[in-house]
Amino acid sequence: MLKASVIQMNSQGDKAANLQSIATLVDDVVARERPDWILLPEHCEWLGGSSGAPGVAEPAMGGETWTLLSGLARRHQVWLHGGSFYEKAAEPGKAYNSSVVFDRDGREAARYRKIHLFDVTTTDGARYFESQTIVPGDDIVLYDCEGVTVGCAICYDLRFPELFQALVARGAQLIALPAAFTLLTGKDHWEPLIRARAIETQTWFAAAAQWGSYATPAGARQSFGQSMIVDPWGAVVARVSDGIGHASAYTDIDLLDRVRNQIPVGRNKALGRRIAA
Ligand SMILES: O=C(O)CNC(=O)[C@H](CS)NC(=O)CCC(=O)C(=O)O
């Protein structure tokens, strides 16, 4: 059983201030909750529209954010799933949207690069064009956290259930989703999608979000927030209110078997075999 914490931020275009805020929030959640595993939101280090990605992207290892997160994990002897931050890609002017995970010694334990890129115009006319500056990852990533298999996804990935089916087929017991969902989509889709993915995969689900307003060259934007931890039955067991903060829960791994025996969707799968036939 891991004690998991999700951190909710309101990152802005000031990287030094965001890094300070990460350190303050990690210190605070460790002091109050003593978690084993902490999840930060997408773009924890810098949030200002993905057109700014090339200007802030860091080398794969040893950059400012990588070094801060590694040091926090080691200092507090805690697992730190580093939300996402912009990682320099080989192609000039391009970056990956990467989650880097650090173990209790501050060693890099896993790295996931966001696969599905958000090229969407929201109903208020705001245009998101993530693929203009971000290179998609192509690896499905899981890691072992002290006996718990954690599967990785980021933000818009949430809308693609086939990724979550692939994670559970590879043994995921807890799925981590750092996000910066928009207010306009999040108000209607965030919680139903998270709960649906948790119910379908019968896994624990931790989702850490950005909340509130931030500036971009195209004007101010709003993130939805509502970071949460959902159990394998689909119940929301911890949730962050509006604002900056954190929420924690024990992820009881025995509950996975109870839920999977109660409704054996894994064993009752039929369509895959029909499609293959
Ligand atoms: O562009 C920025 O400011 C920073 N980037 C993000 O916030 C990312 C990529 S553009 N947002 C999402 O993936 C939102 C998905 C979402 O909201 C949905 O699926 O409804």
Side-chain angles (χ1 to χ4, degrees):
M1 169 146 27
L2 290 179
K3 185 168 183 185
S5 296
V6 291
I7 287 181
Q8 182 161 293
M9 296 181 66
N10 178 21
S11 299
Q12 304 286 333
D14 179 343
K15 189 165 173 178
N18 298 330
L19 296 181
Q20 181 56 57
S21 172
I22 290 168
T24 302
L25 283 159
V26 169
D27 289 351
D28 187 65
V29 77
V30 167
R32 289 172 195 267
E33 302 284 348
R34 302 255 157 241
D36 300 295
W37 180 91
I38 301 171
L39 179 65
L40 288 163
E42 186 183 26
H43 302 318
C44 55
E45 95 291 17
W46 189 88
L47 188 61
S50 52
S51 62
V56 294
E58 299 183 17
M61 295 176 84
E64 264 182 296
T65 309
W66 191 98
T67 302
L68 173 75
L69 298 181
S70 167
L72 285 169
R74 189 173 57 245
R75 174 148 62 84
H76 292 300
Q77 296 285 295
V78 69
W79 284 79
L80 187 53
H81 188 123
S84 78
F85 60 87
Y86 291 109
E87 173 195 344
K88 272 192 177 37
E91 201 180 324
K94 296 270 193 170
Y96 295 108
N97 185 348
S98 303
S99 289
V100 179
V101 182
F102 298 91
D103 70 12
R104 293 187 197 262
D105 295 321
R107 279 189 305 248
E108 181 171 329
R111 178 182 297 253
Y112 168 70
R113 293 166 172 151
K114 188 182 189 184
I115 293 174
H116 300 94
L117 302 180
F118 191 56
D119 291 347
V120 170
T121 301
T122 46
T123 49
D124 56 349
R127 293 183 70 247
Y128 296 80
F129 196 1
E130 196 176 16
S131 70
Q132 205 159 50
T133 49
I134 304 299
V135 183
D138 44 26
D139 291 329
I140 290 170
V141 176
L142 302 101
Y143 63 95
D144 176 68
C145 178
E146 298 174 1
V148 176
T149 303
V150 185
C152 299
I154 298 177
C155 200
Y156 187 50
D157 284 332
L158 181 60
R159 295 182 183 273
F160 301 87
E162 58 274 24
L163 172 62
F164 298 84
Q165 289 301 321
L167 289 170
V168 75
R170 287 161 174 75
Q173 296 173 309
L174 164 65
I175 291 174
L177 183 97
F181 243 60
T182 74
L183 174 64
L184 277 168
T185 56
K187 70 185 176 58
D188 296 318
H189 297 168
W190 172 251
E191 181 171 339
L193 285 171
I194 290 172
R195 295 180 67 188
R197 295 295 92 85
I199 294 166
E200 289 164 353
T201 56
Q202 302 178 310
T203 61
W204 282 94
F205 207 108
Q210 293 282 355
W211 169 86
S213 168
Y214 64 99
T216 79
R221 290 176 182 175
Q222 301 271 344
S223 306
F224 180 60
Q226 298 283 318
S227 303
M228 60 180 73
I229 300 175
V230 176
D231 79 10
W233 186 255
V236 179
V237 297
R239 183 196 300 265
V240 184
S241 298
D242 282 351
I244 293 165
H246 49 75
S248 304
Y250 283 99
T251 57
D252 177 2
I253 296 304
D254 293 344
L255 188 57
L256 295 171
D257 281 343
R258 291 215 295 283
V259 169
R260 290 172 184 188
N261 288 325
Q262 178 75 39
I263 304 185
V265 292
R267 292 200 291 281
N268 294 160
K269 273 190 199 300
L271 188 59
R273 287 195 291 277
R274 280 169 215 268
I275 290 169

